[in-house]
Amino acid sequence: MRPRWGNRVGLLLVGLALVAGGFGLLTAARGRPGAALIDASVAEGKPWALPLLAGAAMVLALVATRWLFMALGWGRVGSRTGAGIAMLGVALKGIDGIGHISVRLVRDGRLRVSVSLRRSADLRQVIRRLDESAVSRVRRAVGRDDALAVVRLHVRRR
């Protein structure tokens, strides 16, 4: 299992445990009609406090849900092309410091090429190789000779 999937599965399990705990707390409170879930004495005399807290909790929940969906890969545009990734790997062969490479074919026929580099990589050589042959090879490999390509280089700090 890849590390990112392990993180995602772990986040999912923690989230499910928290949701189950919340439902359990609500169920326990229903069983005792006189019991309160929280102590609301802090908000006495401040009619705006509870709606503000509820709104902040809702915004936090929505942001966390969006982050989890993005971490799961939902919302990514385009599809990965194995032939394009293989051709990019062949074109960048022999350059030290190449980390992660990715090629995506976006809906409107464009290509998104992403190359992650370590600090030790020769940036000039990578750019020269991409400019001279790599992008055109990737276009031919995916069958889109006239496709526009966006190349994103990321140089890692460590």
Side-chain angles (χ1 to χ4, degrees):
M1 183 182 288
R2 294 183 177 175
R4 64 176 184 252
W5 280 106
N7 291 337
R8 292 172 186 173
V9 169
L11 283 171
L12 180 67
L13 292 176
V14 168
L16 289 175
L18 289 172
V19 167
F23 280 124
L25 185 63
L26 287 174
T27 304
R30 263 193 204 162
R32 297 182 299 166
L37 282 178
I38 60 170
D39 182 22
S41 63
V42 176
E44 285 181 12
K46 300 172 189 159
W48 51 267
L50 288 179
L52 180 69
L53 287 174
M58 182 61 84
V59 168
L60 182 65
L62 289 174
V63 168
T65 303
R66 182 187 182 280
W67 174 73
L68 182 60
F69 283 153
M70 294 303 284
L72 288 171
W74 299 344
R76 284 203 176 135
V77 178
S79 60
R80 293 180 65 178
T81 61
I85 293 171
M87 190 53 68
L88 183 62
V90 168
L92 296 177
K93 185 177 176 182
I95 300 176
D96 291 332
I98 302 288
H100 177 76
I101 58 175
S102 173
V103 177
R104 287 190 171 277
L105 187 60
V106 185
R107 291 184 193 118
D108 57 354
R110 290 180 298 150
L111 288 172
R112 286 188 181 177
V113 179
S114 177
V115 180
S116 178
L117 306 169
R118 292 186 211 105
R119 283 184 86 182
S120 62
D122 185 9
L123 190 59
R124 289 181 187 172
Q125 187 178 11
V126 172
I127 292 172
R128 183 172 36 84
R129 190 88 55 95
L130 284 168
D131 191 35
E132 288 176 356
S133 62
V135 176
S136 59
R137 285 183 178 185
V138 169
R139 284 180 181 144
R140 281 193 302 271
V142 298
R144 305 271 178 138
D145 290 339
D146 59 340
L148 295 174
V150 175
V151 179
R152 185 176 297 161
L153 293 175
H154 179 257
V155 181
R156 295 188 209 158
R157 291 182 185 176
R158 293 179 242 155

